[in-house]
Amino acid sequence: MIRTLPLAAMLMLAAAPQAFAQVQPVAQPIPADGTVLDIVAEGTSTHVPDLALIQAGVVTNAATAGEAMQQNAARMSAVLAALRKAGVAERDLQTSAVNLSPQYRYQENKPPVITGYQASNQLTVRFRDVAKSGTILDALVAQGANNIAGPNLTLADEAGALDEARRDAIAKAKARAALYAQAAGLKVDRILLISEAGTPQMVQPMPMLMRGKAMMAEADTAIIPGEQKITASVSVRFLLK
């Protein structure tokens, strides 16, 4: 027995291929009256770092956990006071880690024995005046900071510096396209496609130079900012005629 579909169902099936075709992406044709040129260009932007990120902390040891934490809190208060006195804003101070851990003595064939406790408090500090960061570091050590790492030198406006590198990359791509077109007896008609190739990079300078004064407990720490180069790579497709 042959069954016929209702008219509505038949109309839906007839329309389905047309609806499917409407959502398919349409490839952009390459113009037949021109020549396609693909160029990858790298742009750069160079700046002196104006922001330093430093990890500054206090590590204390005591017989009990309470004593270790109390001593740590007292020394950290002195560190924070020194930073605020140096003009570091509250928004540039952030606690990054607080730890308390038992310390053990290990002996062969015996269970470990707790010999005391170690407390640590670590701060992330932003210095917006890189030239002063070395002096502040020395003041921190004088106030009890004994766990310091950095600085990590960077730019306050990384996005703006990266945009400069992108503009430089596009300018280089256009100049190279014009050179190829002239050599081939053609002219650049227009850009067909632009895409950013790879991941933009920020090349870190050598951040810190330390000079120790012989036979003296004091340190004279100099922060050398150097220059930081930002690179961006673009791929550009040109139409030559």
Side-chain angles (χ1 to χ4, degrees), residues 45-182:
S45 174
T46 304
H47 295 267
V48 175
D50 56 0
L51 186 65
L53 300 178
I54 295 176
Q55 299 292 323
V58 172
V59 178
T60 54
N61 293 278
T64 67
E67 289 174 345
M69 290 297 289
Q70 288 173 3
Q71 293 178 20
N72 192 278
R75 289 171 61 179
M76 180 54 74
S77 294
V79 167
L80 287 170
L83 287 169
R84 292 175 178 127
K85 184 178 180 180
V88 178
E90 290 296 324
R91 66 186 178 120
D92 292 328
L93 299 173
Q94 184 179 47
T95 299
S96 54
V98 176
N99 293 295
L100 176 67
S101 58
Q103 303 299 294
Y104 294 95
R105 182 178 67 244
Y106 296 92
Q107 294 179 321
E108 189 175 356
N109 299 325
K110 291 183 179 181
V113 177
I114 295 178
T115 58
Y117 292 84
Q118 184 179 87
S120 65
N121 192 333
Q122 200 76 6
L123 281 173
T124 299
V125 187
R126 284 194 295 266
F127 296 101
R128 300 183 186 274
D129 187 350
V130 176
K132 293 182 179 179
S133 54
T135 302
I136 296 175
L137 279 174
D138 296 336
L140 291 179
V141 173
Q143 294 299 323
N146 56 3
N147 188 17
I148 296 177
N152 178 26
L153 301 180
T154 185
L155 302 174
D157 185 16
E158 291 184 2
L162 181 55
D163 284 343
E164 285 184 20
R166 289 174 174 135
R167 283 191 288 268
D168 184 49
I170 291 294
K172 288 179 178 176
K174 292 171 68 176
R176 200 177 305 167
L179 184 149
Y180 277 111
Q182 183 181 22

Side-chain angles (χ1 to χ4, degrees), residues 29-38 177 181 186-193 236-241:
I30 296 175
D33 60 340
T35 300
V36 171
L37 173 65
D38 290 324
L186 301 170
K187 291 184 178 181
V188 176
D189 183 69
R190 67 180 186 273
I191 293 175
L192 299 176
L193 178 68
V236 186
R237 173 167 291 182
F238 294 90
L239 178 65
L240 309 183
K241 288 188 177 181

